[in-house]
Amino acid sequence: MILVVTAVAAEAEAIRAGADPDHVTVEAVGVGPAAAAAGTARLLATGRFEAVVSAGIAGGFVGRAPVGAVVVGARSIAADLGAETPDGFLTVDELGFGTSVLESDPELVRSLTTTLPGAVLGDIVTLSTVTGTAATAERLAARYPQAVAEAMEGFGVAVAAAGLPFAELRSISNPVGPRDRAAWRLKEAFAALSTASAAVWKTCG
């Protein structure tokens, strides 16, 4: 049984629309890395699950993942976990306090990308504060050249997985950068998530 966790109910409903309930359990666990980690850990404590996937909608980095695309995370990165300095941002890795980068399970990623040949593969950054300016988007894109999308839960779910196979699956609703709600394509992103769900759980479930 695979556990698929989302931030909010609307994302969970989009996943359930395509998921096989005999092989997949879908739950909304809350917004942000802390809520995601706590909610995922609680569900995994039941011992019912063999793998966990963080799924939902996301912002896509311009030129890397267009609106409407489906992305698969090769790594989940806690992009704002670290310290500001006069010379720029230092990650917890650079500070010597742990790691801000967690690898997705190679076999699970291979299953997802094989089943979704049009998906964009790359890093997905996890942020507690969604990017809202062009300047921040440019800094993130430069700091993480392999990042294709940003969301708010993946790293937390990856931490809670604690050795279980983990991956992150997202559909892109808007570009990373200035918040222009009128330009968001939520309906299309949810539809893409449902379509991806219907395809992947036949293989991964």
Side-chain angles (χ1 to χ4, degrees), residues 10 20 24 27 29 42 53 60 76 80 88 103 112 157 178 194 202:
D20 178 357
V24 179
E27 296 287 348
V29 294
R42 173 178 54 81
V53 175
S76 291
D80 54 7
E103 302 275 348
L112 291 171
V157 177
S194 293
K202 293 176 183 177

Side-chain angles (χ1 to χ4, degrees), residues 184-203:
W184 290 9
R185 296 293 179 262
L186 295 177
K187 182 178 179 180
E188 293 87 342
F190 285 131
L193 203 57
S194 293
T195 299
S197 176
V200 301
W201 308 132
K202 293 176 183 177
T203 299

